[in-house]
Amino acid sequence: MNVVFAVKQYVSKMIEDSGPGMKVLLMDKETTSIVSMVYTQSEILQKEVYLFERIDSLNRETMKHLKAICFLRPTKENVEYLIQELRRPKYSIYYIYFSNVISKSDVKSLAEADEQEVVAEIQEFYGDYIAVNPHVFSLNLLGCCQGRSWDLAQLSRTAQGLTALLLSLKKCPMIRYQLSSDPAKRLAECVKQVITKEYELFDFRRTEVPPLLLILDRSDDAITPLLNQWTYQAMVHELLGINNNRIDLSRVPGISKDLREVVLSAENDEFYANNMYLNFAEIGSNIKNLMEDFQRRKPKEQQKLESIADMKAFVENYPQFKKMSGTVSKHVTVVGELSRLASERNLLEVSEVEQELACQNDHSSAHQNVRRLLQNPKVTEFDAARLVMLYALHYERHSSNSLPGLMMDLKNKGVSEKYRKLVSAVVEYGGKRVRGSDLFSPKDAVAITKQFLKGLKGVENVYTQHQPFLHETLDQLIKGKLKDGQYPYLGPSTLRDRDSVTLWGAIAAQNPGSLGML
Amino acid sequence: MASNYPPPFDDPVEVREGFLCPLCLKDLQSFYQLQSHYEEEHSSEDRDVKGQLRNLVQKAKKAKKKLLKREGDDRTDTGAQERYESFSYGGVDPYMWEPQELGAMRSHLSDFKKHRAARIDHYVVEVNKLIIRLEKLTSFDRTNTESAKIRAIEKSVVPWVNDQDVPFCPDCGNKFSIRNRRHHCRLCGSIMCKKCMELVSLPLASKLTSASKEALASHTSPNSSPNSIHGSRRGSISSVSSVSSVLDEKDDDRIRCCRHCKDTLLKREQQIDEKEYTPDIVKLYEKLRLCMEKVDQKAPEYIKMAESLNAGETTYNLEHANDLRVEVQKVYELIDALSKKILTLGLNEEPQPHPKTLQLQRMIRYSATLFVQEKLLGLMSLPTKDKYEELKEKRKQEMDRKLHMERQATLETQRRLEEKQKDLVSRSTAAPNGEVPYPKRGTVKKSEGWLPTSSLPRQREIADPLLQQIDNITSFIKQAKAANRLDEVRMLQENLRQLQDEYDQQQTLKAIELSKRQAEEEEMQREQLQVLREKEWEREQHKAMSQHSRTRSLDFREVKQHQHESGKENLNQIAQSLDLDTTQMKSSPSSKTPSPDAVQKQVPKENSVFPIKPREGPQYIRETDQNQTLLLNPFEDEADTSQVEDPANTLARDSSQVVSLPTKALHSDKKEYNPFEDDEEDQQTNGATVYAPNPFEDNGNSFQKSVNDQNSGNPFEGLSSTNPFEVDDNEISGEDIIEEELLLQQIDNIKAYIFDAKHSGRMDEVEVLTENLKELKRTLAKQKEKSKC
């Protein structure tokens, strides 16, 4: 169940099917990001795809010597564009692939537009989501909920994304959802509906244990996204922002021109692939090794350039050298910037208090620490607001809740209205009233003893004490302990044999956008 | 071993090489370390348990192993398996998730085509109708025909719409009057005003009509309408007349038509143009791709050569490699030049090409640069001549050193074997003359059936149709495995098991029958032999060797009685005088039931050619003897040359074997030492004629296998330089004969390969193999001549 590989396979298949010759890839906005997440330009160039065009671009020239591979979402606009395209074909032959189910009537209108018989293939390839990592995908949707109910267009897009995911992985799952969340239920129903409607498509080889699709609502755990993370990928995402594997470094002081935007993709960056889940300290030492390795290489290359043969060898090895130097400079820049931000924003201290807020139940110490940090001028308004949000979420109903005081502190610190509003918003979004489960107080004896022991032993790493609620949910799921009451099955086909449920949950979270996990 | 995870697209079957322990797969760096490791760690382990365990791990490989006992092969496979597994504990790595097939997809093509066909038919019919009419209108000489007649013809082509029915121009809506007169479209008969009238020139008409005819002749492109033109037409549109008509109404060189018809015709014309026109970029691009393909072919070849040469090997010719290098580099230059040309296409023209065209050109150039960069990177340089000589020298020294060490080890073994020999002889003399129980015989026979008594070449195995079949299936299994078709593998294995059972049964039956017959014959011959014995006795006293050989070829049971008295001495003598023939000896005197070939030989010989020419025996032994010594030495060569020794091995499917050759060869070496010890023990404890089946079989086969491998490696590469047989100057004379022997064997192998390749339809392989076969035969002929001289 590797989503990156699944999409990559689809794209490779498209390109293969079109045979040899120069090709142009005709996409829409969304499929462009879908493809760009799994293929690099040089990789796809080697498959003779030389041009990448948007179907809605007007500035396309007629090039009859090119074959066109169209990978499009089956939207009304796209079908309309395609009809226009087929009426006056710009390329010699068209291979059309829709990323999701397309209606029969659309096929018919396309067929009628193809008077010159330029279409050689028309298929559905279900690569309708953005594969971020092998086990993470996203639909890059923003604001899919208004209040606590779905925006209808976004709901259908999410359902489409999920069904495409299931089809691309060839799974026909049982569906469970979070009872406390209405959007989760709606989504589950939508997915089920599609599966029922397209039962022919979902007719896969039955496995002994049916796969499971678990739909959760992000609002169930509003804490995790508020914390600062200390692993490489998470830090980059948190502090610099990753958008379709691209990182914008233009705000970094003194950045060189070619490093303004870098691509971090585990698919073709070995260092990144090996280090993306390691914590910051480990990355530090790894990047040092990388540098040393690189430097050992460098002087050798330069020293030896005495004879012609050496020169030749250097030139022959140069591309590799250059590639390595690219990797080195990229990661050194990124890690350097991360560490600069961490110290500038006093993130270690902030993170310690955040973790305390998330994991411990000592109100007075937490309150003190938050106040202390709010006085610290190094703490940014964003981080300050986040601390207060965490406090608000945790001690929402605490008897000696002093949120108003903290809000005053925020105001005194000069935190803008925009951020201060977020505090009440986040309580509304993920407060106790909304949550289906209790995030903070341990529920049973086992958990209490565990926490007690943890307190005795001390924490291994103050900055990574917090374990996302998702971890527990999935753990319960694997052990078959996930309560039917909280996460009911959809439909009458309740499978009671919970011991053998395979882990296969897709979590469609709704903030900030849809993020799926496998 | 690389520490990377295998990329997702990689073939999972990888070959591990080096000095790996066959049991625990530890890499032990050198042969000697491995040997000691094996003796220390594994000598006491139960072989059967080990075998079973391994079977559990790789059920898929079981059948092959059982059949051919290709231990070496087996080991590499286990290696691959192990390697694969060793990565799986990561858990995090997604590449280790279960293999993922291509996701679901659904085609709408048939639906699409159905709808399109309905529309296209209509469209095509329209176009064709127009073209047919156009043809009719232009098929006569318009200039020399009177306008009235023309009009009559035109009216006959298409019925004109009645003037009264159309009071207004349908296109612009103007009222027709005397001034604004009606005009008829000659193609569809409709009416329009003068302003809306279009004209089709004769050249255009002829272009359209003649193109349609071409399309009819060969409609390959999807654009060509399948049901173009039905009527036959004379395409002779004679010269366009230059005489302009005075008459207003008469159109000499054009045909009036309406806007719609003209549109359709123009569209058609565009299609024709596009079909015929190939832009420069396409031509250049095609050339570029050709060059790239060439590089893809040649570069790996060159890299192999360069690696081999840089290692100081003599497999390839330095000059040849240099030529190839120059050739590859030239192709690179060509790629560079072509892509540059593509990049600058049309840059100097006015108007400038469309930005997209330029982008396309840039991208092609970029990808070509990437291609060159990536490939050129692997294109290592060659050693200079002097340096190469140096490398060669170094390598030779290395080899000599190894050879020396190997020799010592061999001597050691030999001593052990001699000791064992004593035991054997005493044991065999102790064994009574009577028969061993049948079932036992069966097993012995089977196990010995695999024993290549070094003169027992492969073809004997192959000759049995059952075995041949088994052989084929094994190779099929291997291929299926390589192609990852697991269910097929399973099926084939089932098949194989059945065949093997069948074969076992057959062999047992044969054994029973044979032993019965032997018993009878024994009776008959006893008297005869009694007479002969005395004569032979004398001869044997003179020639120890010939005695031995006769022992082999005659019925041993009889001879054993002599051995009672003199066997010990003789055999020891032989063991000393013959370098290494101990394997042979061991098998011969001890076998109560001789190996199948011995039996087969025995039967006719006993009946007809009883008095054998005394010379035959010794020669035979000498052959095998040399064969073995030879075998020992080349192993070393193989062992440290690794795959480079025979890189251009054209047997593609053997390539994995080839790579793992060192291990195999090494293993057979090792088998030389260790299993024999085991044998000793076995035999001592058992005191019977049954050999421990496994080690012996293994030994025999890996033995033979390595011979084969050696052959497959060397003769291909041209016997000129690297043939290990020739490299070793200190080799014993009689090389030629052995060479012949090996060549024959090799020829048989290749024949089998060809058969196999034909069977599975790999014709290109067949070709290559046939080539090889021819070469081998030529070499053989040469050898024969030499030996005659």
PDB file of all heavy atoms in Angstrom, chain B residues 771-786:
ATOM      1  N   GLU B 771      26.279 -20.169 -33.097  1.00  0.00           N
ATOM      2  CA  GLU B 771      27.573 -19.561 -33.413  1.00  0.00           C
ATOM      3  C   GLU B 771      28.651 -20.178 -32.534  1.00  0.00           C
ATOM      4  O   GLU B 771      29.684 -20.641 -33.000  1.00  0.00           O
ATOM      5  CB  GLU B 771      27.474 -18.055 -33.127  1.00  0.00           C
ATOM      6  CG  GLU B 771      28.589 -17.259 -33.704  1.00  0.00           C
ATOM      7  CD  GLU B 771      28.289 -16.904 -35.156  1.00  0.00           C
ATOM      8  OE1 GLU B 771      27.383 -17.506 -35.778  1.00  0.00           O
ATOM      9  OE2 GLU B 771      28.976 -16.046 -35.654  1.00  0.00           O
ATOM     10  N   ASN B 772      28.345 -20.215 -31.285  1.00  0.00           N
ATOM     11  CA  ASN B 772      29.298 -20.762 -30.323  1.00  0.00           C
ATOM     12  C   ASN B 772      29.615 -22.209 -30.637  1.00  0.00           C
ATOM     13  O   ASN B 772      30.756 -22.654 -30.560  1.00  0.00           O
ATOM     14  CB  ASN B 772      28.709 -20.688 -28.921  1.00  0.00           C
ATOM     15  CG  ASN B 772      28.914 -19.327 -28.331  1.00  0.00           C
ATOM     16  OD1 ASN B 772      29.958 -18.735 -28.558  1.00  0.00           O
ATOM     17  ND2 ASN B 772      27.939 -18.832 -27.625  1.00  0.00           N
ATOM     18  N   LEU B 773      28.586 -22.923 -30.958  1.00  0.00           N
ATOM     19  CA  LEU B 773      28.751 -24.329 -31.253  1.00  0.00           C
ATOM     20  C   LEU B 773      29.714 -24.497 -32.405  1.00  0.00           C
ATOM     21  O   LEU B 773      30.638 -25.328 -32.367  1.00  0.00           O
ATOM     22  CB  LEU B 773      27.380 -24.912 -31.608  1.00  0.00           C
ATOM     23  CG  LEU B 773      27.319 -26.421 -31.759  1.00  0.00           C
ATOM     24  CD1 LEU B 773      27.702 -27.082 -30.453  1.00  0.00           C
ATOM     25  CD2 LEU B 773      25.938 -26.844 -32.173  1.00  0.00           C
ATOM     26  N   LYS B 774      29.510 -23.688 -33.423  1.00  0.00           N
ATOM     27  CA  LYS B 774      30.387 -23.781 -34.583  1.00  0.00           C
ATOM     28  C   LYS B 774      31.830 -23.537 -34.182  1.00  0.00           C
ATOM     29  O   LYS B 774      32.736 -24.279 -34.583  1.00  0.00           O
ATOM     30  CB  LYS B 774      29.965 -22.719 -35.618  1.00  0.00           C
ATOM     31  CG  LYS B 774      28.934 -23.246 -36.601  1.00  0.00           C
ATOM     32  CD  LYS B 774      28.685 -22.203 -37.655  1.00  0.00           C
ATOM     33  CE  LYS B 774      27.247 -22.263 -38.139  1.00  0.00           C
ATOM     34  NZ  LYS B 774      26.787 -20.972 -38.629  1.00  0.00           N
ATOM     35  N   GLU B 775      31.984 -22.525 -33.392  1.00  0.00           N
ATOM     36  CA  GLU B 775      33.335 -22.161 -32.975  1.00  0.00           C
ATOM     37  C   GLU B 775      33.978 -23.312 -32.219  1.00  0.00           C
ATOM     38  O   GLU B 775      35.122 -23.685 -32.448  1.00  0.00           O
ATOM     39  CB  GLU B 775      33.243 -20.935 -32.068  1.00  0.00           C
ATOM     40  CG  GLU B 775      34.534 -20.175 -31.953  1.00  0.00           C
ATOM     41  CD  GLU B 775      34.289 -18.908 -31.156  1.00  0.00           C
ATOM     42  OE1 GLU B 775      33.420 -18.122 -31.579  1.00  0.00           O
ATOM     43  OE2 GLU B 775      34.955 -18.749 -30.139  1.00  0.00           O
ATOM     44  N   LEU B 776      33.186 -23.876 -31.355  1.00  0.00           N
ATOM     45  CA  LEU B 776      33.688 -24.983 -30.550  1.00  0.00           C
ATOM     46  C   LEU B 776      34.104 -26.140 -31.437  1.00  0.00           C
ATOM     47  O   LEU B 776      35.142 -26.772 -31.254  1.00  0.00           O
ATOM     48  CB  LEU B 776      32.599 -25.449 -29.595  1.00  0.00           C
ATOM     49  CG  LEU B 776      32.538 -24.703 -28.281  1.00  0.00           C
ATOM     50  CD1 LEU B 776      31.347 -25.174 -27.492  1.00  0.00           C
ATOM     51  CD2 LEU B 776      33.815 -24.965 -27.495  1.00  0.00           C
ATOM     52  N   LYS B 777      33.274 -26.396 -32.412  1.00  0.00           N
ATOM     53  CA  LYS B 777      33.562 -27.523 -33.294  1.00  0.00           C
ATOM     54  C   LYS B 777      34.853 -27.271 -34.043  1.00  0.00           C
ATOM     55  O   LYS B 777      35.660 -28.187 -34.243  1.00  0.00           O
ATOM     56  CB  LYS B 777      32.396 -27.721 -34.253  1.00  0.00           C
ATOM     57  CG  LYS B 777      31.288 -28.530 -33.613  1.00  0.00           C
ATOM     58  CD  LYS B 777      30.211 -28.886 -34.607  1.00  0.00           C
ATOM     59  CE  LYS B 777      29.151 -29.762 -33.971  1.00  0.00           C
ATOM     60  NZ  LYS B 777      27.895 -29.678 -34.709  1.00  0.00           N
ATOM     61  N   ARG B 778      35.002 -26.033 -34.447  1.00  0.00           N
ATOM     62  CA  ARG B 778      36.227 -25.686 -35.162  1.00  0.00           C
ATOM     63  C   ARG B 778      37.434 -25.937 -34.263  1.00  0.00           C
ATOM     64  O   ARG B 778      38.416 -26.549 -34.663  1.00  0.00           O
ATOM     65  CB  ARG B 778      36.166 -24.206 -35.573  1.00  0.00           C
ATOM     66  CG  ARG B 778      36.457 -24.019 -37.036  1.00  0.00           C
ATOM     67  CD  ARG B 778      36.335 -22.571 -37.424  1.00  0.00           C
ATOM     68  NE  ARG B 778      34.962 -22.097 -37.364  1.00  0.00           N
ATOM     69  CZ  ARG B 778      34.572 -20.988 -36.752  1.00  0.00           C
ATOM     70  NH1 ARG B 778      35.469 -20.212 -36.139  1.00  0.00           N
ATOM     71  NH2 ARG B 778      33.312 -20.634 -36.750  1.00  0.00           N
ATOM     72  N   THR B 779      37.306 -25.462 -33.042  1.00  0.00           N
ATOM     73  CA  THR B 779      38.396 -25.640 -32.093  1.00  0.00           C
ATOM     74  C   THR B 779      38.691 -27.119 -31.904  1.00  0.00           C
ATOM     75  O   THR B 779      39.846 -27.550 -31.847  1.00  0.00           O
ATOM     76  CB  THR B 779      38.015 -25.039 -30.738  1.00  0.00           C
ATOM     77  OG1 THR B 779      37.252 -23.876 -30.949  1.00  0.00           O
ATOM     78  CG2 THR B 779      39.239 -24.750 -29.932  1.00  0.00           C
ATOM     79  N   LEU B 780      37.643 -27.866 -31.838  1.00  0.00           N
ATOM     80  CA  LEU B 780      37.787 -29.299 -31.634  1.00  0.00           C
ATOM     81  C   LEU B 780      38.562 -29.910 -32.791  1.00  0.00           C
ATOM     82  O   LEU B 780      39.490 -30.721 -32.595  1.00  0.00           O
ATOM     83  CB  LEU B 780      36.394 -29.938 -31.530  1.00  0.00           C
ATOM     84  CG  LEU B 780      36.382 -31.421 -31.237  1.00  0.00           C
ATOM     85  CD1 LEU B 780      36.990 -31.677 -29.874  1.00  0.00           C
ATOM     86  CD2 LEU B 780      34.972 -31.955 -31.298  1.00  0.00           C
ATOM     87  N   ALA B 781      38.178 -29.519 -33.972  1.00  0.00           N
ATOM     88  CA  ALA B 781      38.860 -30.058 -35.144  1.00  0.00           C
ATOM     89  C   ALA B 781      40.340 -29.719 -35.082  1.00  0.00           C
ATOM     90  O   ALA B 781      41.209 -30.580 -35.345  1.00  0.00           O
ATOM     91  CB  ALA B 781      38.232 -29.476 -36.415  1.00  0.00           C
ATOM     92  N   LYS B 782      40.618 -28.514 -34.711  1.00  0.00           N
ATOM     93  CA  LYS B 782      42.020 -28.087 -34.606  1.00  0.00           C
ATOM     94  C   LYS B 782      42.751 -28.950 -33.605  1.00  0.00           C
ATOM     95  O   LYS B 782      43.855 -29.433 -33.836  1.00  0.00           O
ATOM     96  CB  LYS B 782      42.057 -26.612 -34.149  1.00  0.00           C
ATOM     97  CG  LYS B 782      42.354 -25.649 -35.276  1.00  0.00           C
ATOM     98  CD  LYS B 782      42.568 -24.272 -34.682  1.00  0.00           C
ATOM     99  CE  LYS B 782      41.606 -23.273 -35.294  1.00  0.00           C
ATOM    100  NZ  LYS B 782      41.410 -22.100 -34.466  1.00  0.00           N
ATOM    101  N   GLN B 783      42.095 -29.140 -32.503  1.00  0.00           N
ATOM    102  CA  GLN B 783      42.698 -29.934 -31.440  1.00  0.00           C
ATOM    103  C   GLN B 783      43.032 -31.329 -31.948  1.00  0.00           C
ATOM    104  O   GLN B 783      44.093 -31.882 -31.675  1.00  0.00           O
ATOM    105  CB  GLN B 783      41.722 -30.055 -30.265  1.00  0.00           C
ATOM    106  CG  GLN B 783      41.552 -28.785 -29.495  1.00  0.00           C
ATOM    107  CD  GLN B 783      42.756 -28.505 -28.627  1.00  0.00           C
ATOM    108  OE1 GLN B 783      43.667 -29.309 -28.571  1.00  0.00           O
ATOM    109  NE2 GLN B 783      42.771 -27.339 -28.015  1.00  0.00           N
ATOM    110  N   LYS B 784      42.088 -31.841 -32.666  1.00  0.00           N
ATOM    111  CA  LYS B 784      42.279 -33.201 -33.162  1.00  0.00           C
ATOM    112  C   LYS B 784      43.495 -33.263 -34.058  1.00  0.00           C
ATOM    113  O   LYS B 784      44.319 -34.177 -33.967  1.00  0.00           O
ATOM    114  CB  LYS B 784      41.032 -33.648 -33.917  1.00  0.00           C
ATOM    115  CG  LYS B 784      40.054 -34.357 -32.985  1.00  0.00           C
ATOM    116  CD  LYS B 784      38.899 -34.945 -33.750  1.00  0.00           C
ATOM    117  CE  LYS B 784      37.886 -35.542 -32.809  1.00  0.00           C
ATOM    118  NZ  LYS B 784      36.561 -35.613 -33.418  1.00  0.00           N
ATOM    119  N   GLU B 785      43.582 -32.292 -34.923  1.00  0.00           N
ATOM    120  CA  GLU B 785      44.725 -32.257 -35.819  1.00  0.00           C
ATOM    121  C   GLU B 785      46.009 -32.225 -35.027  1.00  0.00           C
ATOM    122  O   GLU B 785      46.953 -32.970 -35.281  1.00  0.00           O
ATOM    123  CB  GLU B 785      44.646 -30.993 -36.692  1.00  0.00           C
ATOM    124  CG  GLU B 785      44.110 -31.280 -38.079  1.00  0.00           C
ATOM    125  CD  GLU B 785      43.891 -29.991 -38.814  1.00  0.00           C
ATOM    126  OE1 GLU B 785      44.843 -29.181 -38.864  1.00  0.00           O
ATOM    127  OE2 GLU B 785      42.767 -29.779 -39.305  1.00  0.00           O
ATOM    128  N   LYS B 786      45.994 -31.364 -34.057  1.00  0.00           N
ATOM    129  CA  LYS B 786      47.187 -31.185 -33.228  1.00  0.00           C
ATOM    130  C   LYS B 786      47.568 -32.506 -32.589  1.00  0.00           C
ATOM    131  O   LYS B 786      48.709 -32.935 -32.590  1.00  0.00           O
ATOM    132  CB  LYS B 786      46.882 -30.151 -32.135  1.00  0.00           C
ATOM    133  CG  LYS B 786      47.927 -29.047 -32.054  1.00  0.00           C
ATOM    134  CD  LYS B 786      47.703 -28.248 -30.817  1.00  0.00           C
ATOM    135  CE  LYS B 786      47.070 -26.913 -31.131  1.00  0.00           C
ATOM    136  NZ  LYS B 786      46.694 -26.185 -29.917  1.00  0.00           N
TER     137      LYS B 786
END
